[in-house]
Amino acid sequence: MGYRFVSENLKKTGVIIDGQGIDGSRSHRREQTRTAHYDVAGSITMNPSPEELDNLFPMILGGTESADSFPLADALPQRAIAIDRVGRRFIYDTCTVSRATFSGRHGEPIQLVMELIGDTETVSATAMPAITYTTATNGMYVPSDNVVTVLSSARSVLSWEIIIDNHVSARFVNSTTANDISATDRTVMFNYVVPYTSSEVDLYAQALDHGATATLVLTNGGYSTTFTFARLQAPDNSPVVPGRSEITLAVQSIARMNSTTKELAVTHDSVA
């Protein structure tokens, strides 16, 4: 499947090792260099359609879809990614989503930034195969599609971001390319900014013991995406007077697992 993207910087970054021996000169000699390992890492920024999200959520969350439900899982799938850069086709193997950031703000479509780690790069002069893109009408989400509910009340949100950090690392053992790519931890954050009015005062100094339940729902016609947070814990971050502009409250919260309920669950309907 082909994906439309805004920008990307997924790339190979090589390393040349320079010998540090002293030989009476300040010059570094060509004869004392070796090509060492190389990293494959970078990000892809996109405004995903619901059909694209149907394929991307398993990569980001790890779990297998069941009846429009996308759960978290400890193991993450790995995929090859091919990018057409006109002059050549670049293929990156064993790509794993290290971090995914969804964000929404006024005047812009909902954005997804996927940070990836892979193992090898292959450059090919072969033309890209025929690509099929989604053709859904009005499939892209915009901020007016979202409803944010925290502490059982719908909130007027100026901007928001959901960060799913899988803490992926690459291991190099007797190889110039990574021979293991795995997730070592997981951090889920939900950050949002609201006008600081009498309707939002309860969002400051939230109780820590139980945390806040919260949802973010995106709806566009028959399409819908719901992020459900089991418990959110938000450290105090006081509102301030920035000048002759509206006072806002920036809430930075971490999602926690509650009993047997994972910190985040996604329900996604990609059919209009």
Side-chain angles (χ1 to χ4, degrees), residues 9-10 41-46 56-57 59-61 76-77 81 95-103 111-118 161-169 181-191 252:
N9 60 15
L10 183 60
S43 64
I44 299 176
T45 300
M46 52 198 309
L56 296 174
F57 274 133
M59 284 187 66
I60 295 168
L61 304 174
L76 295 172
I81 295 176
C95 288
T96 307
V97 177
S98 178
R99 177 192 290 227
T101 302
F102 295 87
S103 61
Q111 179 175 276
L112 167 62
V113 179
M114 290 192 305
E115 299 174 36
L116 302 148
I117 293 178
E161 67 175 5
I162 296 170
I163 302 171
I164 303 163
D165 192 339
N166 291 312
H167 298 269
V168 171
S169 63
I181 298 173
S182 58
T184 61
D185 198 354
R186 181 172 55 235
T187 306
V188 177
M189 299 188 68
F190 180 35
N191 304 324
Q252 297 178 320

Side-chain angles (χ1 to χ4, degrees), residues 112-182:
L112 167 62
V113 179
M114 290 192 305
E115 299 174 36
L116 302 148
I117 293 178
D119 59 3
T120 60
E121 174 192 78
T122 303
V123 182
S124 173
T126 305
M128 289 284 285
I131 298 175
T132 301
Y133 295 101
T134 60
T135 56
T137 303
N138 298 324
M140 185 173 56
Y141 288 127
V142 295
S144 58
D145 296 330
N146 67 241
V147 175
V148 175
T149 302
V150 184
L151 293 172
S152 303
S153 296
R155 306 295 177 167
S156 298
V157 175
L158 299 170
S159 63
W160 57 266
E161 67 175 5
I162 296 170
I163 302 171
I164 303 163
D165 192 339
N166 291 312
H167 298 269
V168 171
S169 63
R171 185 182 70 209
F172 293 83
V173 178
N174 301 331
S175 174
T176 58
T177 60
N179 44 32
D180 182 77
I181 298 173
S182 58

Side-chain angles (χ1 to χ4, degrees), residues 28-100:
H28 289 241
R29 298 182 180 277
R30 176 194 60 79
E31 296 85 355
Q32 296 299 310
T33 60
R34 286 285 306 274
T35 299
H37 74 282
Y38 68 81
D39 297 307
V40 170
S43 64
I44 299 176
T45 300
M46 52 198 309
N47 305 126
S49 70
E51 287 91 343
E52 290 170 336
L53 286 174
D54 215 46
N55 293 323
L56 296 174
F57 274 133
M59 284 187 66
I60 295 168
L61 304 174
T64 302
E65 177 189 4
S66 176
D68 292 338
S69 177
F70 294 80
L72 292 173
D74 289 338
L76 295 172
Q78 298 175 327
R79 297 182 182 174
I81 295 176
I83 301 174
D84 185 358
R85 293 182 176 138
V86 184
R88 289 289 187 271
R89 177 177 61 162
F90 289 72
I91 302 170
Y92 299 98
D93 284 318
T94 321
C95 288
T96 307
V97 177
S98 178
R99 177 192 290 227

Side-chain angles (χ1 to χ4, degrees), residues 191-220:
N191 304 324
Y192 54 94
V193 179
V194 297
Y196 188 62
T197 69
S198 59
S199 299
E200 281 76 41
V201 293
D202 61 332
L203 294 177
Y204 180 66
Q206 297 179 32
L208 178 65
D209 289 347
H210 301 292
T213 58
T215 59
L216 187 151
V217 182
L218 296 165
T219 306
N220 179 15

